[in-house]
Amino acid sequence: MLVCFTNESVNADCNKHTTSRLLKNQISLLEKSVTMVVDSGCDSDNLPTAFHAEMSSTKIHPKDAIFVYDRVVTNEGSAYNQQTGKFTTPATGLYLFAWSALSDPGKTSDVALFVNGKRTGRIAQNNTGGGGKYITASSTVILTLKKGDIVHLADSSNTPAYLRGEYSTFSGVRLG
């Protein structure tokens, strides 16, 4: 889309009438441009929203701690905050979220998805049986969310969650 603005020149002394006319013309052009952008579907509700992030290192999380996935691979629309670990929905719509976690041998983890503080999905791993093996768990949910909803992952068990960096991920995308 191309949006053009004109620059009218005046071959007269600047006075209130001329200045007022020029400003009104510029305002009219701006209003037409905004209308064109909105009508073309380029408003913020139609922009792509997707993110994928992973933990940069292995971490131990206490009960109720929000997991921060600080290595961002993709963040179209900038809705995921890598400092807080929270995703804020930019528009009402259908969203898909996926997450995975890898536990070290002899450790456990319980990773839950929260929307506005309410648990809506959960994975759990109990890797205390021995054998020296790593265990991965993952889940995917599709949710209808409202603009401004806050989505994050957190521990929801009574024991600390041990999550192996790079193999513990959090992703989301707006489907429509």
Side-chain angles (χ1 to χ4, degrees):
M1 171 195 302
L2 177 63
V3 178
C4 299
F5 298 97
T6 63
N7 186 3
E8 247 182 83
S9 61
V10 178
N11 294 327
D13 293 332
C14 283
N15 58 43
K16 286 183 181 181
H17 175 72
T18 303
T19 303
S20 176
R21 185 171 56 86
L22 287 172
L23 287 173
K24 285 180 183 178
N25 286 344
Q26 291 298 315
I27 290 170
S28 176
L29 286 170
L30 283 171
E31 287 172 341
K32 287 178 185 174
S33 297
V34 168
T35 300
M36 286 173 43
V37 168
V38 171
D39 289 348
S40 70
C42 291
D43 59 23
S44 63
D45 286 351
N46 292 320
L47 294 175
T49 304
F51 76 96
H52 175 74
E54 53 192 38
M55 289 187 179
S56 61
S57 62
T58 299
K59 296 182 173 121
I60 301 169
H61 299 277
K63 180 176 174 23
D64 297 326
I66 293 174
F67 300 160
V68 177
Y69 297 80
D70 55 345
R71 183 179 294 145
V72 175
V73 178
T74 303
N75 196 6
E76 288 295 319
S78 302
Y80 177 74
N81 183 321
Q82 71 187 65
Q83 276 77 43
T84 65
K86 295 179 180 180
F87 173 84
T88 304
T89 56
T92 297
L94 192 63
Y95 290 83
L96 179 142
F97 295 96
W99 66 103
S100 64
L102 175 69
S103 288
D104 286 354
K107 307 295 181 189
T108 63
S109 65
D110 187 338
V111 184
L113 181 90
F114 291 85
V115 177
N116 300 326
K118 181 182 176 191
R119 188 174 73 199
T120 52
R122 184 177 181 182
I123 60 174
Q125 304 144 304
N126 183 341
N127 199 3
T128 58
K133 297 180 181 175
Y134 292 85
I135 294 179
T136 301
S138 63
S139 188
T140 304
V141 296
I142 298 173
L143 303 168
T144 300
L145 300 175
K146 294 182 180 117
K147 182 177 183 174
D149 283 346
I150 307 292
V151 180
H152 70 272
L153 297 175
D155 181 70
S156 65
S157 69
N158 291 322
T159 60
Y162 293 82
L163 299 179
R164 172 68 58 179
E166 295 182 357
Y167 300 100
S168 298
T169 62
F170 183 28
S171 303
V173 62
R174 181 170 180 240
L175 301 174

